[in-house]
Each structure stands twice: as structure tokens, then as C-alpha cells.
Amino acid sequence: MGLFSKLFQGPKIDMEKSEANKKKMRVLFNQAVEDGEDYRLIFGYTEDVSRFNYGFVHGSKTKIGNLIVGWNEASQTIVVVPTVPDLSTCGDPVYYRRAEILKAYRNKYPTDAFIIYPDKTAYIGINAYDWLEDEKLYVYVSQEEELTAFTHFFMNQFATK
């Protein structure tokens, strides 16, 4: 491998750390959500915490709201559990059931986010990527396969037309 390809191959994903964080996410989600094992999980975050209806979780000072996002295709339900970047604790879950929401769509600009309006006065924007490098703000997790599955579910079963 030449020097150029070594310099520009991008950051290396730490799969051991990613898998450990996936296990922590599962434990927290299952503690917070009844029948948590019935949900697939991704990590997401929201940036607009001033409108983020859960507020900060247990004294977190970040301006990013970290989220464990679970979805169940059979019940067409998304459950969002706020957490902190080290996955040491979580807040209360919020359920978004397809039949009960006002609107849901994928917003491509200014960021690629999944937007859910449970009513006319509130919304949540879920940002999710394959993995995030800044561990002070985000949970480090590789989730390409799960994110693809969530995107498919959201666009084909959950988004309003």
C-alpha cells in the first residue's frame, strides 16, 4: 500500500468498541422499554435540544440529544430513548405509533434527518449515521446494516404520504 492510500483511507472503525456499545444500547433500551427485545435498534441524535421534548438527561451539558431509537415493524412503532454519550444512563422512552402521529418524513436539507410530528406543536428530528467519531458528543457505533433497515422501514411503512 502506498503512502497516499495510507494517508487517505479514512478513519478506522473500532468494531470491538462498536459491538460493546451496541450491547450497552440494548441493555438500556430493554430496561426502559417493555418488550424491548421486539425492537431493532440504531443510535441517533437530535441537535435542537431547545425544542427536544426530553430536555437533558441526568445533567448532561451537551447541546446534542443522544438517542437510542428502536423500531418494530409489526406494530409500526418507533420508540426513542434519550441517553448520554457514555451510555451510562437513559431517560424515559417516548413512543411514536404510526396510527397516532400527525406527519413523518425524511428531510434531506440542511441535514439528513427523520422528522416525526406527533402533533401540531412538537416534532423530533432523528439524525443517524453509520458511525460517529466524536465520543464526547456521540455514541461510537457502526450500524450500516441496521441504519439501512431503519431507513427502509421509515420510508416504506412509517412515513406519511
Side-chain angles (χ1 to χ4, degrees):
M1 183 181 297
L3 178 61
F4 182 82
S5 58
K6 282 184 184 176
L7 290 173
F8 295 99
Q9 62 185 349
K12 185 170 171 58
I13 296 173
D14 183 339
M15 290 309 291
E16 191 174 313
K17 184 182 290 185
S18 175
E19 290 303 313
N21 284 339
K22 285 181 185 178
K23 288 178 183 171
K24 288 181 188 177
M25 285 170 45
R26 173 55 67 189
V27 168
L28 283 176
F29 190 85
N30 288 357
Q31 288 172 353
V33 176
E34 188 174 332
D35 300 324
E37 283 295 332
D38 294 343
Y39 291 81
R40 293 177 74 175
L41 302 182
I42 58 168
F43 164 76
Y45 69 93
T46 191
E47 293 180 340
D48 189 1
V49 293
S50 62
R51 294 180 66 180
F52 183 40
N53 57 350
Y54 322 124
F56 295 123
V57 180
H58 300 287
S60 173
K61 301 271 192 269
T62 67
K63 296 290 185 191
I64 302 291
N66 284 266
L67 312 171
I68 302 171
V69 180
W71 77 97
N72 181 300
E73 292 186 30
S75 66
Q76 290 192 325
T77 302
I78 293 173
V79 181
V80 177
V81 178
T83 188
V84 290
D86 68 0
L87 295 171
S88 60
T89 188
C90 67
D92 295 327
V94 176
Y95 292 78
Y96 298 99
R97 293 174 180 88
R98 173 65 176 82
E100 298 170 359
I101 62 165
L102 181 65
K103 182 168 57 170
Y105 61 94
R106 187 171 182 187
N107 182 33
K108 298 296 263 177
Y109 304 102
T111 63
D112 187 3
F114 302 94
I115 310 296
I116 301 171
Y117 283 86
D119 54 48
K120 290 183 179 182
T121 61
Y123 78 95
I124 182 171
I126 301 169
N127 295 274
Y129 297 96
D130 179 34
W131 66 282
L132 295 160
E133 195 172 0
D134 187 349
E135 296 176 64
K136 292 185 295 296
L137 293 179
Y138 307 108
V139 174
Y140 184 97
V141 63
S142 177
Q143 58 185 2
E144 183 178 4
E145 184 179 323
E146 289 300 296
L147 184 53
T148 298
F150 176 76
T151 302
H152 183 267
F153 162 75
F154 190 92
M155 296 306 297
N156 295 304
Q157 293 184 38
F158 196 82
T160 55
K161 305 294 179 208

